[in-house]
Amino acid sequence: MSTEEAVPQTKTDNGAAGEGAPRQKSEKELLKEAKKQEKLAKLKAKQEKQAALDAKKQDGEGKKDKKKKERSVISYDVKTEKGSKKDTKCPMPDSYSPEYVEAAWYDWWQQSGFFKPEYGGRDINTTPYEDKFIIVIPPPNVTGKLHLGHALTNAVEDCLTRWHRMNGKMCLWNPGCDHAGIATQVVVEKKLMRERQLTRHDLGRENFVDEVWKWKNEKGDQIYNQLRRIGGSYDWDRACFTMEPKLYKAVQEAFVRLHDKKLIYRSVRLVNWSCTLNSAISDIEVDKKEISGRTMLAVPGYKDKVEFGVLISFAYKVEGSDEEIVVATTRIETMLGDTAVAVHPEDPRYKHLHGKSVIHPFTDRRLPIVCDDFVEREFGTGAVKITPAHDHNDYEVGVRHKLERLNIIDEKGNITGDCGQFTGMKRFDARIAVLQALKDKGLYRDTKDNPMVVPTCSRSKDVIEPLLKPQWYIDVKDMNAAAIKAVKDGELKIIPEMHIKTWNNWLGNVQDWCISRQLWWGHRIPAYFVTVDDPSVKPGQDSDGDYWVCGRTEEEARQAAAKKFNVPLEKISLKQDEDVLDTWFSSAIFPFSIFGWPDQTVDLEAFYPGTLLETGHDILFFWVARMVMFGQTLMGKLPFKEVYLHAMVRDAHGRKMSKSLGNVVDPIDVIRGISLEGLHERLLDGNLDEKEVKKAIEGQKADYPNGIPECGTDALRFALIAYTSQGRDINLDVLRVQGYRFFCNKLWNATKFALNGLGENYKPTVQHQLSGKEREMDLWILSRLSLAVESCTSGFQAYDFPAATTACYNFWLYELCDWYLEYMKPILYGSDEDAKAVCRHVLYTCLDVGLRLLHPFMPFLTEELFQRLPRRQENSPPSISVTAYPLPADMQHRDMDRESRVEFAQSIVKSIRSMRADYNLTPKTTADVYVKCTDDDTASKVKLFTDIIQTLTNSSAVHVLVSDSAPEGCAMLTVSAKCEVHLMLKGLIDVEKETKKLEGKKETLGKSLKKLEDATAKPDYSDKVPQDVRNQNTEKVSQLKQEIEKLSQALSTLLTFQ
């Protein structure tokens, strides 16, 4: 069968080395084949388009003429009630249609309870832990739609869950959704402004939160529907939302317990502040924008762009002298908050100034000159301005030297009081004004380009301002040490292991966790500021943790306050903290809050701890580490035994997915297909501004000029999993996904042909066993099937997903379709009934086992095809999803010697096919083949397969020669050191015509080679041309030379015919 529309994968094999031994395709060959397939697909599309234009021109009558017949959409139109089993007794459509195949199955799976751990009447409490597989979803944000990164997570987790389920484990994959504090609040705020010209402050907190809930209730099901469409085998009855009452209760409990353990405390420290959001944000929500020098950036709230990437030097006058100290800064406006100048204690240039002060030019404030080892003497002037309230490093210096911390920028990004003429200015307007004022005073010295990182808010795109704020913090020192120890002692396994070093470094150096967020949407902090109506109790400050109490309810907090201050309840007034908790706080308790903790529920007993946590490596610290910390601290147990971290999905160019680039793709659009115009409309549904939309549209035009073709769920899943190599990011070209859709079509056609070959009345044996009548090719395909089973099992066990997908792909495409089905056609159409029966039994085993191997990756297509197969036993499981996965112990047919013999015969077939293609022989043209061997042993190997070689090469006869020579008029190719193949061409081709054709092709290739060689020979080639392009050119030169040499040999052969 043709492999024209299939995407190649690495063909793995453990066969013996030597003549005709199985060979593994290299990455280079794989890439070469993939590129070839992409070119073929593009060429085919181009030819079809041109053919349509030509047809229209020939007709000459425009719309009245016959229109190009469009491919009709094949859909499942049999009336089936929601949740009922799909009808598979109807005839199979002629070709694969994702829409047809994916219809009805999911509802039936869910209705039948296949995805529930209790399926089959199993008891969740009495089933041993080792017989369970428990995994929780990394809860996606409720803010809208999933992207391809979510699709990868879903595909990997689902294939693992389905594999464990098919291996007899009790499986629970728990779904859920995250309230996504900042992201959701931003979306709803923008919606309010866009639709009603209102801010959240216009509504007030309670009404605004009601609006968010309305939005969540309208949009919340969207993500769950996407997860269903991608085929996720979740137990939907256990789905959770992080703001629902059960989880809200758990969050309050966790906060109170950690506060009671003195692990949560209140402190005034620098935070990442977003002036636009008016909130502190976590490190993960800070984008680090690298710039190489002076750069003008757009900042929300400013009409003109703001200058970044420059280092400005200015002078401070030393008090009581004519001396000055020159300092430099990238944020000149912060000099308004300077409270010291630091120098290195051993720097001889400043030793005479130790203990002295400089004078602030705008406030007459005295700034002490302090000595600190953190100063780099070699950098700049060796003197550093210190702004403790607006810089993280300066804050630490301020703590060491007990410096005053002056807040000169407020929450909205404006300059505060006591800053003279600059008071009330916006911070970046003050940047310009301060610089000019320094020039006016003669204190400006220099401006230089300075590479730097500009921290920006990922949500608002605002530039982050470090501000001093009283916030709640978690003391993580002991928790982190315990998490490091768990990995070191082997209690927790991190895969791939390369992430362990990062785990240890991060947990060993991280600061205490700021958990306060100045938002309205989220879990409001259950902490209360206490005012005591008693003159004996001194009034407290907001920043003083001693005047705060916690409680699961306000009444509980009041009791705690009365006890703490030793006064009656009526003397206590409480005000709950306005802030909410960092979203990651609720995510950190997700593995046990979803099961009803702190209540000791049946589910908590049965499903905590989990088996595996699977997610992207980008949230290793922000989520994974914190789940481990909270699990050990609050539950006394690790939340899971293993962590598998998958790669990040990037676009075909290796760029991070970004809405503003237009490369964020909704997986549903890949499944269904979408036009370019449809992609543009998706952008208008989001929150991008006009400029970002324009940029994104251009990106979409470049990447998807014809939109995205319909690929289907199975092809998307298979592509994502197939490219999930441990430790590497995935540069995903959507056209590669389309290649796997062609693979799905191949599976469909192969199974349809096979079912016809089996016949309507075929009944498989109760169990698979050999009859003793199997021929060489029958035993060969069973050997290859055994290898596929071994490779899939070991691949899943080692989280080596490409090994498993490659094994499935190679078996179906390169072995079953390309060889065995072609081999058995003459047998099925022949009269040998015994041979037919053997072939049918072997074929059935290949289909049955092959579909089960594929099911974790391609659930819909495999279910559709599996349901059309007859069953071995009457009481077989109702669905492939709950049918046993093939095990190596059940398929012990591996015979590497036999594989080596068949591989040798295949190489002969490939050589003959290659020569037929070189000389343009049509399929109907049969020719004699002469296989010249150097010894009898080699000849005997060939004779085993002469019938197969003749069938698979359209040959009229196959002659095996040892001492005799092949007749004249043959083309020849070397198969191995002991074997040559001669193809009789004399009398079959027009020599003169073929000679001209080959000479023309050789001339064209020669011109291309010369052009390429001239380009690579230029003196500046190495300097101007990127390395990857040079590598491609080198490969092209090599390919062209090989093709030209091949043509030269063919022309030499033709000369002998004249």
Side-chain angles (χ1 to χ4, degrees):
M1 299 180 79
S2 170
T3 61
E4 180 178 298
E5 291 187 322
V7 177
Q9 283 203 293
T10 307
K11 187 174 182 181
T12 57
D13 205 310
N14 298 319
E19 184 180 67
R23 185 178 66 84
Q24 182 174 335
K25 294 187 178 182
S26 67
E27 280 192 31
K28 191 173 181 181
E29 288 174 319
L30 177 64
L31 183 62
K32 181 178 176 182
E33 276 195 64
K35 288 179 178 177
K36 181 180 178 182
Q37 295 301 329
E38 287 178 22
K39 286 180 181 177
L40 284 172
K42 290 177 181 176
L43 178 62
K44 186 177 178 183
K46 187 176 180 182
Q47 288 172 338
E48 287 175 351
K49 185 177 180 182
Q50 187 60 47
L53 290 171
D54 291 343
K56 192 171 182 180
K57 287 177 183 176
Q58 288 172 6
D59 290 339
E61 294 184 14
K63 294 181 180 179
K64 292 182 181 180
D65 295 334
K66 293 179 181 178
K67 293 181 180 179
K68 181 184 174 185
K69 189 177 180 181
E70 295 182 7
R71 186 176 67 178
S72 58
V73 176
I74 303 171
S75 58
Y76 176 74
D77 53 11
V78 178
K79 188 174 182 181
T80 305
E81 288 187 19
K82 186 178 176 67
S84 295
K85 188 175 180 181
K86 186 175 181 180
D87 179 9
T88 52
K89 290 188 170 70
C90 55
M92 290 176 70
D94 290 336
S95 60
Y96 167 71
S97 162
E99 185 175 327
Y100 179 94
V101 166
E102 293 166 24
W105 287 123
Y106 197 92
D107 291 335
W108 177 62
W109 289 334
Q110 190 175 340
Q111 183 68 32
S112 301
F114 299 143
F115 303 158
K116 295 188 68 60
E118 297 91 346
Y119 175 73
R122 299 174 81 172
D123 190 317
I124 63 173
N125 287 318
T126 59
T127 301
Y129 178 79
E130 56 271 19
D131 290 341
K132 297 175 182 176
F133 178 73
I134 305 153
I135 184 172
V136 300
I137 188 176
N141 291 349
V142 74
T143 44
K145 297 180 179 179
L146 303 181
H147 52 64
L148 286 176
H150 294 112
L152 170 63
T153 301
N154 183 88
V156 171
E157 292 176 13
D158 190 48
C159 81
L160 284 167
T161 305
R162 287 178 183 270
W163 179 70
H164 280 289
R165 187 181 291 119
M166 293 175 77
N167 276 287
K169 292 285 183 78
M170 171 185 278
C171 290
L172 171 62
W173 185 17
N174 211 111
C177 214
D178 193 277
H179 65 280
I182 290 177
T184 304
Q185 180 159 314
V186 167
V187 168
V188 177
E189 283 194 81
K190 287 187 176 181
K191 182 174 182 288
L192 278 172
M193 180 54 66
R194 184 171 62 248
E195 296 177 359
R196 295 159 60 184
Q197 288 73 53
L198 293 173
T199 68
R200 63 182 165 113
H201 299 286
D202 294 331
L203 291 180
R205 182 168 190 151
E206 189 175 339
N207 290 332
F208 176 76
V209 170
D210 286 344
E211 286 293 323
V212 181
W213 273 110
K214 285 179 190 174
W215 181 87
K216 185 268 172 189
N217 292 331
E218 289 172 8
K219 302 287 186 181
D221 287 342
Q222 193 171 38
I223 284 177
Y224 285 170
N225 289 335
Q226 282 181 300
L227 292 173
R228 288 184 176 93
R229 187 66 195 267
I230 299 170
S233 57
Y234 299 99
D235 180 357
W236 289 107
D237 292 337
R238 287 181 166 92
C240 293
F241 177 51
T242 53
M243 285 284 283
E244 68 182 54
K246 180 174 74 173
L247 275 70
Y248 207 114
K249 175 183 176 182
V251 168
Q252 288 184 310
E253 183 71 25
F255 187 96
V256 172
R257 289 195 188 187
L258 292 172
H259 186 267
D260 289 347
K261 288 174 179 281
K262 309 296 184 188
L263 292 173
I264 288 182
Y265 63 93
R266 193 164 179 82
S267 180
V268 179
R269 296 184 183 179
L270 280 177
V271 296
N272 299 315
W273 189 264
S274 168
C275 299
T276 301
L277 296 177
N278 222 359
S279 175
I281 65 172
S282 66
D283 289 341
I284 198 172
E285 289 154 332
V286 177
D287 291 335
K288 295 174 174 60
K289 186 177 182 65
E290 294 186 16
I291 56 178
S292 58
R294 183 178 184 273
T295 306
M296 304 301 289
L297 299 177
V299 178
Y302 290 83
K303 182 180 178 182
D304 299 322
K305 290 186 175 182
V306 179
E307 182 183 57
F308 292 89
V310 294
L311 191 66
I312 298 172
S313 299
F314 68 97
Y316 273 126
K317 294 295 183 180
V318 177
E319 185 182 33
S321 76
D322 294 331
E323 288 189 80
E324 66 180 29
I325 292 184
V326 177
V327 295
T329 179
T330 58
R331 301 161 64 215
I332 192 65
E333 68 279 7
T334 63
M335 65 85 62
L336 297 172
D338 286 356
T339 58
V341 171
V343 297
H344 194 279
E346 301 301 323
D347 192 333
R349 293 172 293 179
Y350 302 113
K351 278 199 171 185
H352 66 292
L353 297 178
H354 292 183
K356 295 192 176 183
S357 301
V358 295
I359 303 299
H360 198 286
F362 304 127
T363 64
D364 292 330
R365 193 164 60 242
R366 294 175 72 252
L367 314 181
I369 299 170
V370 299
C371 299
D372 201 291
D373 290 337
F374 103 100
V375 178
E376 297 179 30
R377 284 181 280 182
E378 297 77 19
F379 184 76
T381 63
V384 181
K385 61 184 283 298
I386 304 298
T387 320
H390 296 284
D391 182 273
H392 291 283
N393 290 326
D394 293 1
Y395 175 83
E396 298 298 331
V397 176
V399 170
R400 286 195 292 272
H401 297 278
K402 298 180 181 178
L403 299 174
E404 184 182 5
R405 292 177 291 195
L406 291 178
N407 276 314
I408 54 100
I409 300 175
D410 66 17
E411 295 173 351
K412 294 182 179 179
N414 298 326
I415 303 299
T416 60
D418 301 329
C419 289
Q421 69 202 68
F422 309 106
T423 298
M425 286 186 180
K426 294 164 74 172
R427 54 182 170 151
F428 295 127
D429 290 341
R431 174 171 291 188
I432 298 169
V434 168
L435 178 59
Q436 185 58 50
L438 287 170
K439 289 179 179 179
D440 293 343
K441 285 182 175 287
L443 296 174
Y444 167 77
R445 295 293 176 264
D446 194 11
T447 298
K448 293 179 180 177
D449 274 19
N450 182 67
M452 65 180 292
V453 173
V454 180
T456 59
C457 173
S458 63
R459 306 296 179 186
S460 66
K461 309 306 177 188
D462 195 8
V463 175
I464 293 300
E465 192 64 52
L467 289 186
L468 277 173
K469 287 285 176 185
Q471 308 274 274
W472 292 101
Y473 288 86
I474 297 181
D475 180 349
V476 296
K477 191 169 98 175
D478 291 341
M479 294 188 199
N480 289 357
I484 291 172
K485 186 176 185 299
V487 173
K488 184 180 179 181
D489 293 348
E491 294 178 61
L492 179 64
K493 189 176 181 181
I494 295 178
I495 306 162
E497 290 185 352
M498 66 179 185
H499 293 295
I500 294 176
K501 183 179 179 181
T502 316
W503 172 272
N504 292 337
N505 288 342
W506 189 81
L507 288 171
N509 296 290
V510 71
Q511 300 293 318
D512 284 354
W513 176 14
C514 173
I515 55 174
S516 298
R517 296 292 177 267
Q518 290 65 46
L519 303 171
W520 288 355
W521 172 245
H523 299 99
R524 193 166 175 184
I525 295 175
Y528 300 81
F529 183 73
V530 181
T531 302
V532 183
D533 184 16
D534 189 319
S536 65
V537 179
K538 181 182 175 183
Q541 298 292 322
D542 173 81
S543 57
D544 188 347
D546 288 338
Y547 284 82
W548 288 84
V549 292
C550 294
R552 297 163 185 83
T553 63
E554 184 173 340
E555 184 55 34
E556 183 179 304
R558 191 179 305 280
Q559 294 278 358
K563 183 178 178 182
K564 182 174 186 176
F565 292 98
N566 196 25
V567 296
L569 286 173
E570 58 270 18
K571 296 282 188 179
I572 298 294
S573 296
L574 299 178
K575 182 183 179 185
Q576 188 175 358
D577 195 333
E578 295 283 333
D579 294 349
V580 300
L581 288 164
D582 180 4
T583 301
W584 294 105
F585 188 95
S586 55
S587 299
I589 62 172
F590 195 72
F592 47 94
S593 65
I594 59 175
F595 298 128
W597 182 86
D599 297 335
Q600 294 304 303
T601 65
V602 172
D603 273 10
L604 185 64
E605 179 67 25
F607 299 125
Y608 187 89
T611 310
L612 172 73
L613 189 283
E614 193 284 335
T615 190
H617 64 71
D618 58 326
I619 55 174
L620 174 62
F621 318 125
F622 302 104
W623 189 41
V624 181
R626 286 165 176 168
M627 282 189 287
V628 170
M629 290 157 52
F630 276 23
Q632 289 180 306
T633 304
L634 295 171
M635 297 293 293
K637 296 178 184 177
L638 287 166
F640 28 74
K641 304 298 183 186
E642 292 185 334
V643 176
Y644 174 73
L645 302 166
H646 66 242
M648 296 294 98
V649 181
R650 297 180 179 273
D651 70 7
H653 313 291
R655 300 176 303 180
K656 186 178 179 181
M657 297 292 187
S658 165
K659 290 178 182 177
S660 60
L661 289 175
N663 62 358
V664 173
V665 177
D666 184 337
I668 305 304
D669 290 338
V670 181
I671 292 169
R672 292 176 179 165
I674 189 172
S675 65
L676 179 61
E677 293 72 23
L679 287 171
H680 293 344
E681 288 173 12
R682 289 272 191 269
L683 297 173
L684 301 178
D685 292 340
N687 284 309
L688 297 178
D689 60 36
E690 191 175 336
K691 289 181 181 178
E692 288 176 320
V693 168
K694 188 175 180 182
K695 179 182 177 183
I697 285 175
E698 292 305 312
Q700 288 178 340
K701 285 179 180 177
D703 286 342
Y704 312 111
N706 301 311
I708 296 174
E710 179 196 34
C711 297
T713 297
D714 293 309
L716 174 61
R717 287 170 57 115
F718 198 85
L720 289 168
I721 297 168
Y723 290 108
T724 306
S725 297
Q726 292 185 13
R728 295 176 57 188
D729 284 349
I730 301 169
N731 294 350
L732 186 70
D733 185 346
V734 174
L735 287 177
R736 300 295 294 274
V737 181
Q738 187 184 23
Y740 287 111
R741 185 199 188 284
F742 297 150
F743 175 52
C744 291
N745 192 58
K746 192 77 170 178
L747 292 172
W748 182 268
N749 291 338
T751 305
K752 187 176 182 183
F753 165 80
L755 288 172
N756 288 333
L758 292 176
E760 290 184 12
N761 299 319
Y762 174 75
K763 177 65 180 173
T765 55
V766 174
Q767 59 184 8
H768 163 65
Q769 57 187 14
L770 298 181
S771 66
K773 298 179 181 180
E774 289 80 10
R775 300 181 184 181
E776 190 79 349
M777 289 300 288
D778 300 317
L779 295 172
W780 169 79
I781 195 64
L782 291 174
S783 178
R784 300 304 294 172
L785 180 59
S786 298
L787 173 62
V789 172
E790 291 171 14
S791 300
C792 285
T793 299
S794 60
F796 271 114
Q797 289 172 343
Y799 298 101
D800 185 358
F801 301 108
T805 55
T806 298
C808 292
Y809 190 94
N810 284 342
F811 173 75
W812 275 93
L813 190 65
Y814 296 133
E815 292 156 3
L816 183 63
C817 292
D818 282 1
W819 294 101
Y820 190 71
L821 293 186
E822 294 300 321
Y823 151 77
M824 67 179 290
K825 282 179 182 178
I827 296 174
L828 289 179
Y829 300 143
S831 57
D832 188 337
E833 295 302 323
D834 284 344
K836 285 183 187 179
V838 169
C839 274
R840 283 172 177 149
H841 288 317
V842 171
L843 177 59
Y844 176 85
T845 297
C846 290
L847 295 176
D848 172 44
V849 176
L851 289 172
R852 285 186 283 137
L853 287 177
L854 263 176
H855 177 72
F857 311 115
M858 294 183 160
F860 292 102
L861 179 56
T862 52
E863 185 74 87
E864 178 79 29
L865 298 177
F866 187 78
Q867 291 293 342
R868 294 176 182 273
L869 289 181
R871 293 286 182 272
R872 290 192 186 276
Q873 299 178 10
E874 295 274 333
N875 60 345
S876 296
S879 166
I880 191 173
S881 65
V882 288
T883 301
Y885 199 78
L887 298 174
D890 301 329
M891 291 298 299
Q892 296 187 335
H893 302 297
R894 193 80 201 279
D895 186 333
M896 294 167 68
D897 288 338
R898 177 172 285 110
E899 289 183 18
S900 181
R901 292 194 297 271
V902 173
E903 189 82 9
F904 180 46
Q906 289 173 332
S907 63
I908 293 173
V909 170
K910 290 173 185 175
S911 297
I912 297 169
R913 287 174 173 175
S914 175
M915 284 191 289
R916 289 180 64 92
D918 288 343
Y919 295 99
N920 300 305
L921 295 187
T922 64
K924 291 182 179 179
T925 304
T926 60
D928 279 358
V929 170
Y930 299 85
V931 184
K932 171 70 173 170
C933 303
T934 59
D935 55 67
D936 291 333
D937 184 49
T938 305
S940 65
K941 288 181 182 178
V942 177
K943 288 176 182 177
L944 286 171
F945 301 99
T946 51
D947 290 347
I948 301 169
I949 293 170
Q950 182 178 343
T951 298
L952 297 180
T953 59
N954 293 341
S955 299
S956 51
V958 176
H959 310 276
V960 182
L961 310 173
V962 179
S963 55
D964 296 335
S965 298
E968 292 185 359
C970 290
M972 186 276 286
L973 262 183
T974 300
V975 177
S976 71
K978 296 182 178 181
C979 179
E980 298 172 352
V981 175
H982 300 257
L983 179 68
M984 177 55 71
L985 296 176
K986 199 168 185 179
L988 296 178
I989 60 173
D990 184 328
V991 176
E992 186 177 347
K993 182 180 177 182
E994 287 300 318
T995 300
K996 286 182 180 179
K997 191 183 294 182
L998 294 180
E999 284 176 341
K1001 189 174 181 182
K1002 183 179 177 183
E1003 183 181 355
T1004 301
L1005 292 177
K1007 288 178 181 177
S1008 299
L1009 177 62
K1010 186 177 187 309
K1011 185 178 179 181
L1012 204 52
E1013 287 180 330
D1014 289 346
T1016 57
K1018 290 181 180 179
D1020 57 353
Y1021 175 73
S1022 297
D1023 298 327
K1024 289 188 174 181
V1025 180
Q1027 182 64 48
D1028 58 334
V1029 177
R1030 279 184 277 148
N1031 292 341
Q1032 291 172 12
N1033 288 342
T1034 301
E1035 189 178 338
K1036 285 179 187 175
V1037 168
S1038 176
Q1039 288 175 358
L1040 286 169
K1041 285 181 176 179
Q1042 288 176 21
E1043 290 181 47
I1044 290 170
E1045 176 60 28
K1046 202 173 179 182
L1047 289 170
S1048 297
Q1049 290 176 2
L1051 285 166
S1052 298
T1053 301
L1054 288 176
L1055 285 174
T1056 64
F1057 299 166
Q1058 293 179 344

